Amino acid sequence: MLPGERPGTRSFALSTQRTIMNDHRRLGRELGIFDTDPLIGSGLPCWLPAGAAVRKAIEDYVYELERRNGYQHVNSPVLGKRELYERSGHWAHYADDMFPPMNVGGEEFVLRPSLCPHHALIYRSRGRSRRELPLRLAELGGMYRSELSGVLGGLTRVRAIQLNDGHIFCAPEQAAAEVSASLDLIEAAHAQLGIRAARYRLSLRGDGGKFVDDPAMWARSEAVLREVLKERGRDYDEERGEGAFYGPKIDIQITDPAGRESTLSTVQVDYFQPGRFDLSYAGGERPVMVHRSVVGGIERLVAHLIEAHGGAFPAWLAPVQAVVLPLSDTELPAAESVLRRCLAAGLRAELAPAGRGSLGARIRAHRLVPYQLVVGPREAAGGGVAVRRRDGSQAGDVPVEQLAAGSRPLY
Ligand SMILES: [Zn+2]
């Protein structure tokens, strides 16, 4: 509901209608993005072909964005020994959100609740010199949260999360610049994805045993985040009790069409885990860990994108970027040749032959596809296409290679 609206007014009815229309669960099913099956379990969605295509486009984009900004990518297993999480502090502060341990031959393993401990051990896999810092490690990896069935829904609350994660190991005097650079990446990615942040939140420690009890450490890490927010001239709200157990966070909040808020992107400063894992550089100096996620968990991101775009994704993200529409069966061979050229040029494309209905009906069925390539007798004779955009405007005979070049993300 918009500010000043009351239930029962016409605008309330319209906004409620929009909320239902854009619900990612309804649209996600209609678009073939994801599905859940009680036999697999709630909170464990499967990505259908259209969803897997969107996910791959996002993964490729984020990977390339990180690569261009000095990150090295790693891969690590989705489980680890219970001792790993005792060492990291998760066991003492975060056990409520973790799946119980599995006993294998007398050893206990848990599905990981975060990627940080694995990355800390990758840092520690050999000695590090001062000039290696900042060392930026990134991974798009699985993590698990033991949510109860009652709170699970669609892609927004899941038990298996594919997280765009990254950890920057740096000298203390580099931390503020790395936090700021992480916010640059987040803002660039949001612009490319068509996401509007609702607000920035500085998430601080709260009372109780969920947070590491070391006031001096918290004061130090909070100072870094405040300095960066001030320098960037960013408005933000402060909220106690929303920090990570090991340190404060800058959270970038988004809202769904019903106005419910959640965190998408985050940057955190951590002086705790480097000590727990005895990380060092130059023979004895202690690095700082900056934890950051540019686009958060892929599940929540895609849920938000479905709702924000109403299913009409930007061309680079669309599950199907081009549909080839022969006017009649006579143009089918020419249309098949156009399809092959689209696929070879890198477009996600498909063919909707005349047997599926009138041209108008086929255009309506593909109304969310950015480019509709009509092949009539003239185009078939000339080897071209008549490009119609999904807003109904005509682009004329554009080579498919040019469409493909225009359907890539910008960095
Ligand atoms: Zn982390």
Side-chain angles (χ1 to χ4, degrees):
M1 211 184 330
L2 295 169
E5 282 184 342
R6 279 177 294 108
T9 63
R10 187 178 130 76
S11 60
F12 174 75
L14 279 175
S15 78
T16 308
Q17 197 181 5
R18 211 162 39 231
T19 301
I20 297 163
M21 290 298 288
N22 275 6
D23 183 296
H24 85 273
R25 284 166 297 192
R26 192 191 64 79
L27 266 175
R29 228 166 288 273
E30 186 186 312
L31 299 169
I33 302 285
F34 73 99
D35 193 26
T36 49
D37 191 301
L39 195 54
I40 299 171
S42 52
L44 299 168
C46 288
W47 294 82
L48 304 178
V54 172
R55 177 171 155 167
K56 179 74 164 60
I58 293 168
E59 290 177 0
D60 289 351
Y61 164 68
V62 173
Y63 184 97
E64 184 60 13
L65 181 69
E66 289 172 339
R67 190 190 67 78
R68 289 174 187 229
N69 284 277
Y71 283 83
Q72 294 173 281
H73 288 91
V74 296
N75 294 110
S76 55
V78 297
L79 72 177
K81 279 163 67 175
R82 172 181 164 155
E83 287 91 326
L84 177 64
Y85 302 99
E86 288 173 347
R87 180 76 83 88
S88 68
H90 284 86
W91 200 260
H93 299 282
Y94 200 73
D96 290 350
D97 294 301
M98 292 164 65
F99 277 92
M102 295 170 267
N103 192 312
V104 182
E107 286 186 309
E108 288 193 311
F109 292 89
V110 291
L111 285 167
R112 65 178 171 191
S114 80
L115 281 65
C116 337
H118 285 88
H119 289 189
L121 294 187
I122 290 172
Y123 176 90
R124 210 179 68 172
S125 61
R126 62 175 175 80
R128 302 289 179 180
S129 66
R130 173 66 175 78
R131 64 191 157 69
E132 276 184 86
L133 307 187
L135 182 75
R136 305 182 187 94
L137 300 180
E139 178 173 0
L140 195 87
M143 56 170 270
Y144 299 85
R145 200 166 279 172
S146 71
E147 304 266 22
L148 296 175
S149 295
V151 302
L152 299 168
L155 290 176
T156 44
R157 291 287 285 272
V158 291
R159 286 168 162 154
I161 298 163
Q162 198 67 15
L163 184 69
N164 156 240
D165 207 2
H167 295 92
I168 303 157
F169 300 86
C170 63
E173 64 273 18
Q174 296 171 324
E178 290 302 317
V179 169
S180 197
S182 299
L183 290 172
D184 286 341
L185 278 196
I186 289 168
E187 287 166 9
H190 285 193
Q192 184 61 42
L193 289 157
I195 291 172
R196 280 209 354 242
R199 65 181 178 120
Y200 279 45
R201 182 177 81 182
L202 179 59
S203 300
L204 305 169
R205 72 178 294 200
D207 302 322
K210 273 194 172 274
F211 302 93
V212 171
D213 187 19
D214 184 344
M217 180 193 83
W218 282 90
R220 209 174 152 209
S221 44
E222 279 177 32
V224 174
L225 296 185
R226 284 182 208 280
E227 176 196 328
V228 172
L229 286 165
K230 188 174 168 208
E231 185 193 287
R232 296 175 72 89
R234 255 283 163 198
D235 285 338
Y236 63 94
D237 304 311
E238 294 190 11
E239 255 171 70
R240 297 191 63 76
E242 295 290 343
F245 74 82
Y246 46 78
K249 313 189 283 171
I250 295 171
D251 289 326
I252 290 109
Q253 303 295 100
I254 52 166
T255 47
D256 71 8
R260 281 182 299 255
E261 193 183 272
S262 57
T263 300
L264 186 70
S265 313
T266 183
V267 187
Q268 313 165 5
V269 170
D270 177 11
Y271 292 97
F272 178 71
Q273 293 191 63
R276 298 285 288 194
F277 287 108
D278 198 22
L279 306 185
S280 68
Y281 63 92
E285 300 294 316
R286 182 82 74 214
V288 182
M289 263 173 98
V290 174
H291 308 236
R292 43 98 287 178
S293 180
V294 177
V295 295
I298 300 295
E299 292 77 13
R300 179 174 292 175
L301 170 66
V302 171
H304 183 71
L305 290 172
I306 292 170
E307 292 173 348
H309 296 294
F313 297 102
W316 72 272
L317 261 183
V320 178
Q321 298 169 306
V323 59
V324 187
L325 303 160
L327 210 53
S328 74
D329 282 342
T330 315
E331 290 84 27
L332 188 59
E336 282 169 343
S337 153
V338 169
L339 176 67
R340 280 193 295 276
R341 273 173 42 219
C342 287
L343 295 173
L347 284 169
R348 294 184 290 276
E350 65 183 35
L351 180 71
R356 292 199 204 160
S358 68
L359 183 63
R362 284 179 283 151
I363 284 175
R364 275 195 300 282
H366 294 86
R367 68 190 183 285
L368 297 174
V369 175
Y371 302 114
Q372 296 145 5
L373 314 183
V374 180
V375 183
R378 196 152 49 107
E379 288 78 22
V385 290
V387 179
R388 181 185 184 281
R389 299 188 195 92
R390 66 184 156 199
D391 64 5
S393 62
Q394 304 289 337
D397 185 3
V398 183
V400 297
E401 291 74 16
Q402 197 177 316
L403 291 180
S407 304
R408 294 186 190 122
L410 303 171
Y411 297 97

